[in-house]
């Protein structure tokens, strides 16, 4: 009987140890098949609540539910083997109380088997982060632009572009780190501020529209592949799959209408009779 050693996934402590080390590579994924591709090249896979925009066509992430996150988290875990999988806690699943946050996080961890959760907010969420981490829940923080707060922010605009607005963002980052988060996402923050935060906090920072000085970077997979019709300023398109997919669909439709597909090689012939 052969014994096959299990592939060890990266863990939250592994990522925490990457502060000032090799850059952390992180992408989103919501499906088993894309997770398998991302897993080969990335340290962290984020099951982001951006699935509300990418998969469901919502204008914001606010409508995303805990059940939606768990469903896609399961898919990503089935498709991946090595990366740390982090699942976003959606709007309304953790803000009411630290106890609510714990019950939501436990559901995510138990039902997906992922390695960590992510939540948005700084000073106001520090007590919740400390509560979760003290009870065995690895937490990735998220400061700067927090998309779940869009209804109070009013628009998706970069933060900290005037130096007089830096202090609250710096306070948020410090609070997240001191509360016990193992890393934090810094989103859409002026480059000098993101650089300063990275140099100041003791945990890895993962930038998205932040700074090359961050300890890692994250993008939404569909944005960088050219599948999203519009992408933020901070996205570099590493592919243009949207036009390629449409061209393939157009070719399929043309062949069906002209009866060029299916061809003889795509259908099943009768079995020959045995004598």
């Amino acid at each position: 009987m052969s014994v096959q050693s299990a592939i060890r996934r990266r863990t939250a402590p592994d990522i925490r140890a990457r502060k000032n080390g090799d850059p952390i590579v992180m992408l989103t994924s919501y499906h088993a098949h894309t997770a398998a591709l991302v897993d080969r090249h990335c340290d962290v896979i984020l099951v982001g609540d951006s699935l509300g925009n990418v998969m469901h066509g919502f204008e914001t992430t606010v409508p995303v539910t805990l059940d939606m996150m768990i469903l896609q988290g399961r898919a990503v875990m089935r498709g991946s083997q090595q990366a740390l999988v982090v699942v976003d806690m959606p709007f309304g699943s953790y803000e009411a109380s630290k106890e609510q946050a714990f019950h939501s996080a436990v559901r995510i961890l138990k039902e997906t088997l992922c390695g960590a959760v992510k939540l948005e907010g700084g000073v106001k969420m520090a007590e919740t982060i400390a509560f979760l981490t003290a009870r065995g829940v690895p937490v990735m923080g998220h400061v700067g632009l927090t998309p779940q707060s869009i209804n109070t922010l009013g628009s998706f605009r970069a933060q900290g572009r005037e130096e007089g607005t830096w202090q609250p963002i710096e306070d948020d980052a410090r609070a997240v780190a001191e509360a016990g988060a193992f890393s934090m996402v810094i989103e859409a923050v002026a480059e000098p501020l993101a650089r300063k935060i990275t140099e100041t906090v003791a945990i890895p920072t993962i930038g998205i529209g932040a700074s090359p000085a961050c300890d890692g970077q994250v993008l939404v997979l569909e944005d960088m592949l050219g599948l999203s019709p519009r992408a933020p300023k901070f996205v570099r398109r590493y592919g243009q799959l949207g036009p390629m997919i449409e061209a393939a669909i157009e070719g399929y439709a043309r062949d069906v209408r002209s009866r060029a597909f299916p061809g003889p090689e795509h259908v099943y012939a009768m079995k020959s009779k045995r004598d």
Side-chain angles (χ1 to χ4, degrees):
M1 179 179 176
S2 64
V3 177
Q4 190 173 22
S5 60
I7 297 175
R8 180 181 179 274
R9 280 187 184 271
R10 292 178 180 88
T11 64
D14 292 334
I15 301 304
R16 170 66 180 82
R18 297 275 288 274
K19 180 68 180 178
N20 298 322
D22 292 337
I24 299 160
V25 182
M26 178 166 150
L27 281 171
T28 65
S29 174
Y30 321 109
H31 322 90
H33 63 281
T34 57
L37 298 173
V38 172
D39 188 59
R40 296 172 197 161
H41 305 280
C42 292
D43 305 300
V44 183
I45 300 176
L46 174 64
V47 185
D49 59 1
S50 50
L51 65 84
N53 312 97
V54 172
M55 293 182 64
H56 297 277
F58 296 140
E59 291 186 2
T60 73
T61 61
V62 171
V64 175
T65 66
L66 189 61
D67 286 341
M68 290 165 67
M69 296 307 307
I70 289 171
L71 181 65
Q72 303 314 137
R74 286 173 173 168
V76 169
M77 285 296 294
R78 286 193 293 268
S80 61
Q81 292 183 309
Q82 301 178 81
L84 170 67
V85 174
V86 180
V87 176
D88 262 339
M89 298 184 70
F91 179 73
S93 70
Y94 62 93
E95 297 91 339
S97 67
K98 55 187 185 294
E99 290 81 11
Q100 181 206 27
F102 179 72
H103 289 301
S104 297
V106 166
R107 273 201 66 196
I108 291 172
L109 293 177
K110 281 180 173 289
E111 295 182 36
T112 70
L113 303 180
C114 72
V117 300
K118 181 171 78 65
L119 57 79
E120 296 182 4
V123 171
K124 292 179 180 178
M125 285 295 118
E127 184 180 357
T128 295
I129 293 171
F131 188 85
L132 294 178
T133 57
R135 286 157 180 78
V137 179
V139 177
M140 177 180 285
H142 185 144
V143 301
L145 175 63
T146 48
Q148 292 177 7
S149 303
I150 184 59
N151 288 328
T152 54
L153 292 174
S155 65
F156 295 107
R157 62 181 182 274
Q159 307 292 298
R161 300 190 74 180
E162 296 179 0
E163 195 165 349
T165 65
W166 282 19
Q167 194 60 55
I169 303 171
E170 291 184 72
D171 292 343
D172 282 343
R174 188 179 307 108
V176 166
E178 292 176 353
F182 70 91
S183 62
M184 75 176 79
V185 169
I186 304 178
E187 180 169 359
V189 166
E191 196 281 330
L193 175 55
R195 183 179 294 268
K196 182 181 179 183
I197 290 171
T198 300
E199 293 170 351
T200 302
V201 299
I203 62 174
T205 60
I206 300 173
I208 178 167
S211 171
C214 289
D215 297 291
Q217 301 294 329
V218 61
L219 286 176
V220 172
L221 183 65
E222 285 76 4
D223 287 348
M224 59 89 77
L225 290 178
L227 286 169
S228 303
R230 296 186 305 275
K233 167 188 171 63
F234 52 75
V235 172
R236 177 181 291 178
R237 300 273 201 185
Y238 284 87
Q240 291 293 345
L241 298 194
M244 292 175 62
I245 291 172
E246 185 171 5
I249 294 168
E250 181 184 9
Y252 165 73
R254 182 176 58 249
D255 284 355
V256 169
R257 291 188 176 110
S258 67
R259 298 193 183 276
F261 176 82
E265 70 273 27
H266 304 119
V267 297
Y268 297 96
M270 293 290 291
K271 289 184 177 180
S272 59
K273 293 182 179 180
R274 294 179 180 177
D275 296 330

